[in-house]
Amino acid sequence: MMFCDRCGLPAAEGAHAACAAARELEPPRYCPDCRRRMKVQVVPTGWTASCVEHGTRKG
């Protein structure tokens, strides 16, 4: 099952248009694979988000 990386709800349930729009300006908050809250660090050149189970994502 995949989860929305902004709100943490199942990606297949409900509308996530607002989440997609917000994600253009901000980093993910939830791991899309396991729904765990990620540790996020924002720097002037981008961001990194780390899940304890699935590792780091960069943007």
Side-chain angles (χ1 to χ4, degrees):
M1 175 182 278
M2 296 297 292
F3 298 96
C4 175
D5 63 359
R6 181 168 182 266
C7 68
L9 297 175
E13 296 177 15
H16 293 279
C19 293
R23 279 283 291 117
E24 291 183 25
L25 300 173
E26 61 186 49
R29 300 296 176 184
Y30 293 90
C31 177
D33 298 319
C34 66
R35 196 180 183 184
R36 283 186 172 92
R37 187 101 163 127
M38 294 194 290
K39 179 179 74 173
V40 178
Q41 181 176 11
V42 178
V43 294
T45 58
W47 53 263
T48 58
S50 300
C51 172
V52 296
E53 189 73 23
H54 296 103
T56 301
R57 300 173 190 270
K58 294 183 179 188

